[in-house]
Amino acid sequence: MTNDEFRAAMSRLAAGVVLVTAQEPPLDPDDPQAPAGEDAGMTATAFMSVSLDPPLALVSLREGSRMDDLLAEQPLWAVSVLAENQRHIAGRFAMKGRISDRLLFKELSWTRGESSGAPLLTDALATFELRTEQRVTAGDHTLVVGRVLTARVPGTGGGPLLYFRGRYRQLG
């Protein structure tokens, strides 16, 4: 089996699209006057529930990616489940060589999570705040298992944004 064959077969599995976010730790944690770190975000399709008791979920991150490095240092993070009308957000945070995340968040409607400090999209289908419980190296990815601290459904209607056969899609 080649990488292309594996990729083609896996592309037939529809996946929900989420925005994974975290806030970098302060530049100098010992100085209360030090500026807070930047907010970071990335689009992911490999996010899933792991356990109900205790409530656990996981995200798969490319090893060595900015988010993988950040979550190795920052145990608190968040996930916003994207709605079908948020394709532009998915594309924005999936770009390679993109501009600063600070500028990407600037035009979005979001609030800071009370438990994680991470950005949560106000018009997401659902939001989760998590604390890392375990990190597992799996090939060229890291599986980050997090305890769910909060899970909310903001009340936004509409369907989910899906990723299928290499493109963003909608139900129906």
Side-chain angles (χ1 to χ4, degrees), residues 18-22 40-44 47 59 61 67 71 77-80:
V18 301
L19 179 64
V20 180
T21 58
M42 66 160 271
T43 302
F47 174 73
V59 67
L61 306 172
M67 190 60 70
L71 294 191
W77 46 288
V79 170
S80 296

Side-chain angles (χ1 to χ4, degrees), residues 68-125:
D68 181 37
D69 292 345
L70 176 54
L71 294 191
E73 162 181 12
Q74 166 61 279
L76 299 171
W77 46 288
V79 170
S80 296
V81 178
L82 298 183
E84 60 194 358
N85 64 348
Q86 294 177 312
R87 182 184 303 209
H88 64 288
I89 295 171
R92 175 187 295 195
F93 283 91
M95 292 187 308
K96 293 184 193 302
R98 63 186 192 217
I99 59 174
S100 163
D101 283 5
R102 178 176 34 84
L103 298 175
L104 296 177
F105 282 107
K106 188 174 182 179
E107 298 174 8
L108 300 179
S109 175
W110 60 273
T111 60
R112 192 160 300 284
E114 293 177 18
S115 297
S116 67
L120 296 166
L121 296 178
T122 56
D123 50 358
L125 289 181

Side-chain angles (χ1 to χ4, degrees), residues 5 11 16 36 39 43 50 52 56 64 80 98 101 109 132 153 162 166 169:
E5 289 170 330
S11 77
D39 294 316
T43 302
V50 173
L52 187 58
L56 300 173
S80 296
R98 63 186 192 217
D101 283 5
S109 175
T132 299
V153 179
L162 300 175
R169 314 255 182 175

